[in-house]
């Protein structure tokens, strides 16, 4: 069956370090992959999108990589700040753009 | 430019009642998705609508659930004869077009069935 896996354990890092979150998938051939941030009690906020023919995407302190051979995406936050503490969700999009499938998210805690 | 508006933010229903959730997309957006999120779980796709059309409802239960997005007014997710298992957060997201894949989410409606 189709599966999207994100580390269910919280990631605790020190302020200023780089946070790296992982999204692995099986039995999908996604056309694109997105990363969202979700704070408690709020809706997800779009961060970055990377398409199947792209290896890497950057936006300010954020970087996403996409390896369709390994079926994995890595999401990096450099120079992390306590304000980056949140749950980060990856979502895989299908080629007909009808829907995207979410992982269960990884909670990031950045300590001052 | 207001974001995606969902109301109510919180909704309490007794078992057997109907729940009606509303979603007003961002201005200029004609594509709406509905997702459901259970505690400690990811968002599960329910339905994708374009104005006056249901494009993909493969994630929506066949019974008791329906969705619409009329020409005028908000998109509505309707749950008839609610059961305790329907308790969840329901999010809608909007996009300006099908291929523009940056989705803007609302703050969600938290449905509690008692």
């Amino acid at each position: 069956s189709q599966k999207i896996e994100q580390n269910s354990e919280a990631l605790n890092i020190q302020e200023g370090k780089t946070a790296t979150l992982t999204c692995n998938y099986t039995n999908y051939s996604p056309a694109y992959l997105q990363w969202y941030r979700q704070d408690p009690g709020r809706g997800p906020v779009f961060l970055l999108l990377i398409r199947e023919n792209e290896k890497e995407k950057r936006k300010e302190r954020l970087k996403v990589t996409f390896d369709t051979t390994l079926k994995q995406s890595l999401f990096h936050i450099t120079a992390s700040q306590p304000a980056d503490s949140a749950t980060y969700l990856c979502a895989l999009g299908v080629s007909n753009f009808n829907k995207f499938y979410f992982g269960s998210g990884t909670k990031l805690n950045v300590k001052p | 430019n207001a974001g995606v508006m969902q109301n109510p933010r919180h909704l309490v229903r007794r078992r057997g009642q109907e729940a009606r959730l509303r979603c007003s997309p961002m201005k200029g957006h004609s594509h709406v998705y509905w997702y459901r999120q259970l505690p400690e779980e990811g968002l599960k796709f329910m339905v994708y609508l374009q104005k006056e059309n249901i494009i993909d409802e493969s994630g929506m239960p066949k019974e008791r659930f329906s969705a619409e997005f009329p020409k005028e007014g908000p998109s509505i997710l309707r749950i008839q004869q609610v059961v305790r298992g329907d308790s969840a957060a329901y999010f809608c997201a909007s996009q300006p077009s099908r291929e523009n894949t940056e989705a803007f989410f609302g703050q969600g409606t938290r449905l509690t069935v008692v």
Side-chain angles (χ1 to χ4, degrees):
Chain A
S1 62
Q2 299 164 324
K3 196 182 290 186
I4 303 170
E5 291 182 332
Q6 293 186 257
N7 196 338
S8 57
E9 290 184 15
L11 177 63
N12 299 303
I13 64 167
Q14 207 66 36
E15 181 177 8
K17 300 292 186 184
T18 295
T20 298
L21 288 74
T22 304
C23 177
N24 295 300
Y25 60 93
T26 56
N27 298 329
Y28 277 107
S29 294
Y32 58 93
L33 188 146
Q34 302 169 310
W35 283 89
Y36 289 81
R37 168 186 173 138
Q38 187 174 26
D39 292 283
R42 304 183 74 86
V45 175
F46 173 85
L47 296 174
L48 276 173
L49 177 148
I50 188 165
R51 299 189 185 275
E52 59 178 332
N53 59 349
E54 298 174 317
K55 296 291 186 186
E56 184 179 296
K57 217 53 167 312
R58 290 174 186 262
K59 180 181 176 183
E60 298 172 353
R61 294 185 296 113
L62 310 180
K63 184 177 87 172
V64 173
T65 62
F66 194 10
D67 189 326
T68 54
T69 301
L70 290 178
K71 295 186 181 295
Q72 181 182 79
S73 174
L74 299 178
F75 177 76
H76 306 272
I77 306 175
T78 57
S80 59
Q81 305 165 359
D84 295 326
S85 298
T87 296
Y88 291 85
L89 307 169
C90 70
L92 274 63
V94 297
S95 57
N96 64 3
F97 302 102
N98 276 5
K99 60 177 79 80
F100 27 102
Y101 299 95
F102 280 88
S104 55
T106 297
K107 188 172 182 182
L108 173 66
N109 296 313
V110 181
K111 299 180 179 178
Chain B
N1 185 12
V4 177
M5 304 299 292
Q6 289 189 249
N7 66 80
R9 290 293 308 275
H10 301 274
L11 181 62
V12 179
R13 284 287 177 266
R14 294 187 185 280
R15 280 180 295 172
Q17 289 185 319
E18 178 178 287
R20 193 171 294 202
L21 289 62
R22 295 175 184 77
C23 169
S24 295
M26 287 184 69
K27 188 176 180 181
H29 288 194
S30 58
H31 297 252
V32 165
Y33 298 84
W34 284 93
Y35 282 81
R36 175 164 64 177
Q37 187 173 36
L38 295 169
E40 308 303 321
E41 291 189 17
L43 290 91
K44 304 294 184 194
F45 168 79
M46 298 184 74
V47 62
Y48 164 42
L49 309 106
Q50 196 179 349
K51 283 280 189 181
E52 300 184 273
N53 288 304
I54 297 174
I55 307 299
D56 186 331
E57 56 182 347
S58 58
M60 203 150 67
K62 293 284 185 278
E63 298 179 353
R64 303 189 298 108
F65 286 73
S66 63
E68 63 177 9
F69 190 12
K71 187 176 180 182
E72 302 290 339
S75 174
I76 306 286
L77 179 67
R78 185 180 290 112
I79 312 172
Q80 296 177 306
Q81 299 176 314
V82 296
V83 301
R84 290 230 168 96
D86 297 332
S87 296
Y90 292 83
F91 291 95
C92 81
S94 74
Q95 293 177 188
S97 66
R98 190 175 195 153
E99 293 77 18
N100 185 329
T101 50
E102 179 179 343
F104 293 84
F105 279 80
Q107 301 297 359
T109 293
R110 274 140 191 90
L111 171 66
T112 301
V113 180
V114 298

